[in-house]
Amino acid sequence: MTQGSLLNGPDQLAIERDAVRLFENPAVQAAMEAKRATFEAHDLAQVPAGWATISLNLEEMVFSAVVSVVGMDVSRTMPFWTLNLPHDRDGFRVPGTRHGVDNPDNVYRVIAVDDVNNFRIDGRVNERPGADVSFTLFNHYPGSGADSQSQGVLVLADLEKDAEGRFSFTVGPETAGARTNHIQTTPGQARLIFVRDSLQDWAVETPVSLSVTRTAGPGAEPPSKAEQVAAAVEAIGVSIDYWLRLMPQWFGTPFNEIAKGRAKNFSYTQQATSEARFRLNPDEALVVTVDPSAARYLGIQLADVWGASIGYSAHTSSLNQHQAHRSADGTITYVVSLKDPGVWNWLDPAGLEQGTMLHRWQGMPDGFDSEKSVRGSQVVKLADLDRALPADMRRVTRDQRREQIAQRAAGLARRFD
């Protein structure tokens, strides 16, 4: 059994170090640079916001592909925290792994599994867990060239826990029978357990601790260095081609039009999403009103045109229903604009005039009303913004904005403690 850790234990650091070494391999670096031309020729690169963010997305998509090779090694399966911002570890830099409109509220972890071995995942709730915590069996690593589809899911709220908050569930080819804490694998359809802790109050909510044990089966042989390099080079090409093909398809709606929330099968059936694109002039604002709809979690996130979340430690580029100010009727109205509009619910695109945005409702009650999920949206001139806002919209001074951002940074720093 690997040593249990929250997010930054020895297993996490070991995989990060191995991934950085593989990333720095000359063949891997050459594969990355060979893909730069693919970015530069893409339609999304022909706008300033797309061209300005090529290098960031090239590096992070490549490092994510490298991580998928190192972290998905079943011979050393362990929970691994990914889809993360760049960060420093004891003197070495770990590139980011953002893509696919990653959610700043989520702590994403992956656990490598297969369809021939049996695994037990042990966990513990640490004081106050996230608003929504789920464990999904996927058939593909996100971005590995094919759409990831849920093969089974368990939700923390439904798992039995002892007096100390400990829980466990199993993953393997046996049928679940009467067990509620088992996910069955099927041939060719088991690649990883995707763990998602959705944190709404960054200051107090904490991811669950996790460890994994292989309990039966033939095990797996670790790959050689040469095999890892070859797998990483292949993964880079496949992953980048996948994301550059998917993003224009996924976010193909007209600019500044917000679709209604719709159920998806990416994680589990209690989720709905609404995708949109924004494009604004410096004197414009996009005003949107959404309904939390009694979901356990609701979040709105901005990302660049390629799908990488916008630096959410230094910018209010995401808001969830805990962070946002609610109007008297329970709805949330927020503003997307290049200039600070002086309201609490500002989604800051960090100077990007164009990008993507995603709304996520999770843990929805029965009877989710898609038509009421997005109450309205409009583009207005900043000079006319007041007339488009609810009368009780919370306003902020410059000092209050700085404090809001400082609170975000402090909450995010807890994840690295």
Side-chain angles (χ1 to χ4, degrees):
M1 181 175 178
T2 59
Q3 179 176 347
S5 65
L6 187 50
L7 294 175
N8 304 286
D11 289 343
Q12 177 75 25
L13 272 62
I15 290 186
E16 286 186 340
R17 284 188 180 277
D18 288 350
V20 169
R21 292 190 190 100
L22 183 56
F23 176 73
E24 293 173 346
N25 183 278
V28 172
Q29 287 290 301
M32 177 172 70
E33 284 308 311
K35 278 297 182 182
R36 185 177 296 274
T38 304
F39 272 90
E40 293 178 348
H42 198 281
D43 287 346
L44 293 176
Q46 311 316 309
V47 298
W51 188 265
T53 50
I54 286 176
S55 292
L56 180 152
N57 281 274
L58 175 62
E59 179 183 76
E60 298 209 11
M61 285 188 195
V62 166
F63 190 63
S64 181
V66 169
V67 162
S68 75
V69 171
V70 178
M72 289 293 94
D73 178 2
V74 181
S75 72
R76 61 186 293 194
T77 187
M78 59 189 72
F80 178 73
W81 179 24
T82 185
L83 284 170
N84 207 345
L85 289 167
H87 53 279
D88 293 321
R89 294 284 200 192
D90 298 330
F92 71 99
R93 175 180 176 270
V94 182
T97 43
R98 292 170 288 172
H99 60 266
V101 192
D102 54 295
N103 184 352
D105 294 323
N106 283 354
V107 169
Y108 298 98
R109 282 170 286 181
V110 294
I111 301 173
V113 298
D114 58 22
D115 55 9
V116 295
N117 288 285
N118 292 271
F119 306 89
R120 187 185 72 247
I121 288 91
D122 296 297
R124 180 168 56 84
V125 175
N126 298 292
E127 298 179 3
R128 182 171 162 185
D132 190 51
V133 184
S134 61
F135 309 90
T136 307
L137 175 65
F138 275 162
N139 57 348
H140 298 289
Y141 191 91
S144 60
D147 293 339
S148 301
Q149 294 293 329
S150 170
Q151 305 299 304
V153 64
L154 295 172
V155 180
L156 178 64
D158 297 334
L159 290 173
E160 291 186 3
K161 294 170 279 291
D162 67 14
E164 297 182 2
R166 292 175 298 194
F167 62 91
S168 67
F169 64 91
T170 53
V171 180
E174 298 87 1
T175 60
R179 292 178 292 171
T180 59
N181 64 338
H182 179 75
I183 302 178
Q184 183 181 6
T185 59
T186 55
Q189 298 298 312
R191 187 72 180 99
L192 72 150
I193 297 294
F194 189 76
V195 184
R196 181 180 60 183
D197 297 75
S198 296
L199 312 179
Q200 294 193 130
D201 187 344
W202 295 5
V204 299
E205 293 177 2
T206 305
V208 297
S209 296
L210 294 173
S211 62
V212 57
T213 304
R214 184 179 64 83
T215 58
E221 288 294 323
S224 67
K225 179 180 178 179
E227 289 171 333
Q228 279 198 325
V229 170
V233 169
E234 180 181 5
I236 289 166
V238 170
S239 180
I240 288 178
D241 288 349
Y242 174 83
W243 287 115
L244 298 195
R245 181 178 66 253
L246 177 68
M247 289 304 296
Q249 297 173 355
W250 190 12
F251 293 88
T253 56
F255 287 105
N256 304 325
E257 290 189 11
I258 314 300
K260 304 293 186 182
R262 302 179 312 280
K264 296 287 186 178
N265 185 37
F266 177 69
S267 259
Y268 60 106
T269 55
Q270 289 180 300
Q271 172 174 280
T273 60
S274 168
E275 304 84 17
R277 297 186 295 170
F278 67 88
R279 185 171 64 189
L280 297 166
N281 293 318
D283 64 343
E284 292 179 326
L286 171 62
V287 182
V288 183
T289 299
V290 296
D291 191 332
S293 303
R296 284 198 301 269
Y297 168 86
L298 165 65
I300 307 110
Q301 297 84 33
L302 298 186
D304 63 28
V305 299
W306 308 103
S309 59
I310 293 171
Y312 44 86
S313 177
H315 300 275
T316 56
S317 55
S318 69
L319 287 171
N320 60 53
Q321 64 180 340
H322 171 80
Q323 297 167 334
H325 169 74
R326 291 200 193 199
S327 297
D329 63 357
T331 62
I332 295 171
T333 297
Y334 65 85
V335 178
V336 184
S337 59
L338 294 169
K339 297 179 180 178
D340 189 338
V343 299
W344 182 268
N345 293 353
W346 176 38
L347 286 175
D348 176 10
L352 299 179
E353 83 287 351
Q354 182 174 324
T356 56
M357 52 197 303
L358 189 61
H359 306 69
R360 294 171 166 99
W361 294 260
Q362 295 167 201
M364 302 181 302
D366 293 337
F368 175 78
D369 191 338
S370 175
E371 289 303 310
K372 293 182 179 179
S373 59
V374 177
R375 297 298 184 89
S377 62
Q378 58 178 316
V379 174
V380 300
K381 295 294 185 181
L382 279 172
D384 300 324
L385 179 60
D386 284 350
R387 290 197 290 271
L389 298 176
D392 60 352
M393 173 64 82
R394 182 179 177 181
R395 311 287 173 152
V396 294
T397 64
R398 290 186 178 180
D399 286 344
Q400 289 170 332
R401 180 73 74 206
R402 283 193 286 268
E403 177 60 24
Q404 182 188 28
I405 294 171
Q407 290 175 359
R408 292 174 67 89
L412 186 62
R414 291 182 66 242
R415 304 180 193 182
F416 288 93
D417 290 342

